[in-house]
Amino acid sequence: MGLPLVSSALLDFPHNRVFPCMEFMGSHLSASKSYAPALKFNCQHFHKVGSTLPGVILCANRKFRGDEAVWKREQLTQNVDFPPKFPKKKKKPYPIPFKEIKHAARTDWKLAHMGIEKPLEPPKNGLLVPDLVPVAYGVFDAWKLLIKGLSQLLHVIPAHGCSECSEVHVAPIGHCILDCEGPTSSQRHSSHAWVKGSINDILVPIESYHLFDPFGRRIKHQTRFEYDRIPAVVELCIQAGVDIPEYPSRRRTNPVRILGRKILDRGGHIEEPKPWRSAESSSLLDFDTYRVCERFPRPSLADLPKIAEETLYAYETVRKGVRKLMKKYTVKACGYCSEVHVGPWGHNAKLCGAFKHQWRDGKHGWQDATVDEVFPPNYVWHVRDPSGPPLRSSLKRYYGKTPAVVEVCMQAGAKISDEYKPMMRLDIVIPDSDETRMII
């Protein structure tokens, strides 16, 4: 039985449309045996790549040339899962597989045993990466713009925080979802104790010690008060090339030499300067969230969408820039708590009070940090109608989540990108409370 011929004019499908796809189930054709071709019809999304000819027939069991048309399946992502919550009574997973960590340590030990210095490239040897200096300045400027924009938006967009746990909700009133994990949650049947939120509830403050020389002496528990604590994003920008007079940083011209775990040469000795700082310094207030809502007035309703767009763009710039800087510059995070340290190794301050801190004498369990640990997204429940009824615990599985900064900007009138829509679950229809028992 022969297959009917198909005209190429009938195969001239529009771009990115749904059309039936025909597949052969049999792979070998024999003339001596009767053969009934099994056909399988399926409707799929396809998009055309690399072809200027209308209506091209693709033949089975045949290799394609580079100038022929290729139809690829279009990947549509929607309704992704929420980020997992790591249990407090367990160590965080390593961002790098532990086998690779052991292999790198074994390689360094072999080089040190043979007396060979460890080969280092900038910035691992203390030198700056010239290509990342503009990136650091861009992240620093976007960080200041993010703080200014959020402080103005929070004058209009209400935010609430739970006084017993870390839950945050962006809406005129708090939600009714029973998921509080505070110390007195059993007395309130897991309901949240809502209070008025601030910018620190939306933009989680992650601080780090500022070091004049990251390759210098390690911070000890007794000397921890001799170092200032600033936002970890700002400290990362300073070590990447941003110059702030109040927080100087050493710029080396000679690289650091390391043999195993021992530093042979720190690139010369320079005495750490002690600059005079004033509490009223404008440059310090630009990247600090302390009483920031008092420094910026309430914006007009006409300027609200523009401020929201600028704030959202600054948020995405900071996140992309931090990810790019962390590919080169080392940032350590505790595997048990939220402590972060920017530098080649962590400090020795005994301030960890998380799981099994008695076994470690209060020391942090340092490991490589992730972007979410340095610049947390702080996911909150997405509110489709801020003026509607509060979110209910019975409809919890139908709600979506989004970063708190994105939720504030979206309620202020900013247009969000498709990156955040899959977790917001916008295509799911939220049923009424009476209809939930009818849904399987």
Side-chain angles (χ1 to χ4, degrees):
M1 181 180 65
L3 294 176
L5 298 178
V6 182
S7 174
S8 63
L10 299 177
L11 296 177
D12 190 9
F13 296 103
H15 193 70
N16 286 343
R17 295 294 180 89
V18 179
F19 60 89
C21 176
M22 183 173 63
E23 298 179 4
F24 287 100
M25 305 302 295
S27 59
H28 299 283
L29 302 180
S30 176
S32 61
K33 297 182 180 180
S34 60
Y35 177 76
L39 301 179
K40 177 182 177 182
F41 293 89
N42 189 13
C43 291
Q44 299 174 347
H45 285 278
F46 289 87
H47 62 275
K48 193 173 180 181
V49 179
S51 174
T52 56
L53 298 177
V56 181
I57 301 178
L58 302 182
C59 301
N61 297 331
R62 178 171 173 264
K63 295 182 178 180
F64 299 103
R65 299 191 304 268
D67 56 345
E68 292 182 337
V70 178
W71 300 87
K72 294 184 178 180
R73 188 188 303 269
E74 184 177 358
Q75 300 292 337
L76 298 177
T77 304
Q78 63 180 11
N79 300 336
V80 299
D81 296 333
F82 297 154
K85 288 186 177 181
F86 299 111
K88 295 182 179 179
K89 294 186 177 181
K90 191 176 181 181
K91 193 176 187 296
K92 302 175 187 176
Y94 290 98
I96 302 176
F98 192 67
K99 290 184 178 179
E100 297 183 9
I101 298 176
K102 291 194 301 183
H103 178 71
R106 191 179 297 111
T107 303
D108 294 344
W109 180 85
K110 290 181 180 179
L111 292 177
H113 186 69
M114 293 184 294
I116 302 176
E117 296 183 12
K118 185 177 179 180
L120 299 175
E121 297 181 357
K124 305 297 182 182
N125 58 1
L127 303 180
L128 291 178
V129 181
D131 296 340
L132 294 181
V133 175
V135 177
Y137 273 98
V139 172
F140 184 66
D141 295 338
W143 174 262
K144 294 188 293 184
L145 183 61
L146 175 62
I147 293 177
K148 178 182 177 181
L150 278 179
S151 63
Q152 292 178 314
L153 294 178
L154 290 179
H155 284 294
V156 182
I157 306 300
H160 294 81
C162 182
S163 61
E164 300 292 334
C165 67
S166 59
E167 183 74 9
V168 179
H169 189 61
V170 182
I173 57 176
H175 62 70
C176 299
I177 300 177
L178 305 178
D179 57 353
C180 183
E181 299 178 354
T184 61
S185 60
S186 59
Q187 302 176 5
R188 292 175 280 106
H189 304 286
S190 298
S191 61
H192 293 280
W194 297 113
V195 296
K196 184 179 179 181
S198 63
I199 188 174
N200 289 334
D201 296 320
I202 304 299
L203 196 63
V204 180
I206 301 296
E207 295 184 344
S208 174
Y209 287 106
H210 169 65
L211 297 177
F212 171 74
D213 186 6
F215 291 87
R217 297 178 180 178
R218 298 183 68 173
I219 301 176
K220 298 181 180 181
H221 186 74
Q222 297 79 6
T223 61
R224 65 187 186 277
F225 296 110
E226 300 177 4
Y227 302 89
D228 295 330
R229 290 184 65 86
I230 61 177
V233 175
V234 178
E235 177 63 18
L236 179 61
C237 295
I238 292 175
Q239 294 190 16
V242 175
D243 293 326
I244 302 179
E246 291 80 5
Y247 294 101
S249 181
R250 180 176 179 179
R251 308 304 182 192
R252 282 184 168 83
T253 55
N254 298 324
V256 177
R257 297 169 53 197
I258 299 178
L259 178 62
R261 295 185 177 181
K262 182 179 180 181
I263 298 180
L264 301 179
D265 185 10
R266 301 180 185 272
H269 176 73
I270 298 179
E271 185 178 357
E272 181 177 353
K274 296 181 180 180
W276 177 79
R277 301 191 184 101
S278 174
E280 303 297 333
S281 179
S282 59
S283 60
L284 299 181
L285 296 177
D286 289 340
F287 57 82
D288 192 9
T289 59
Y290 176 70
R291 305 181 68 174
V292 66
C293 293
E294 300 178 3
R295 290 188 277 115
F296 298 102
R298 180 188 181 96
S300 61
L301 296 180
D303 298 337
L304 204 63
K306 180 181 178 182
I307 298 176
E309 291 284 351
E310 296 176 352
T311 306
L312 184 59
Y313 179 76
Y315 172 78
E316 295 176 350
T317 302
V318 172
R319 190 160 185 84
K320 293 178 182 178
V322 168
R323 182 181 290 107
K324 187 178 296 184
L325 293 176
M326 289 182 62
K327 290 181 180 179
K328 292 290 185 179
Y329 290 87
T330 304
V331 182
K332 297 295 182 179
C334 180
Y336 301 93
C337 67
S338 60
E339 181 70 10
V340 170
H341 185 78
V342 183
W345 45 72
H347 59 75
N348 287 335
K350 303 176 183 180
L351 301 175
C352 185
F355 179 60
K356 293 184 179 180
H357 65 91
Q358 301 90 344
W359 294 12
R360 294 174 276 111
D361 193 20
K363 294 183 179 180
H364 296 284
W366 297 114
Q367 62 187 36
D368 291 332
T370 60
V371 179
D372 291 343
E373 292 173 324
V374 179
F375 189 58
N378 192 17
Y379 289 99
V380 298
W381 293 105
H382 169 56
V383 181
R384 299 189 183 183
D385 185 10
S387 60
L391 305 184
R392 302 177 183 178
S393 185
S394 58
L395 304 177
K396 179 180 178 180
R397 61 175 178 169
Y398 303 103
Y399 300 137
K401 284 190 174 183
T402 182
V405 177
V406 179
E407 181 70 16
V408 171
C409 296
M410 184 181 57
Q411 292 189 19
K415 297 180 180 179
I416 63 173
S417 60
D418 297 336
E419 177 184 356
Y420 309 103
K421 292 182 179 180
M423 194 178 295
M424 296 169 63
R425 299 180 178 178
L426 299 177
D427 59 335
I428 295 180
V429 179
I430 300 178
D432 296 332
S433 58
D434 298 336
E435 298 175 346
T436 54
R437 64 176 181 269
M438 305 173 58
I439 301 175
I440 300 178

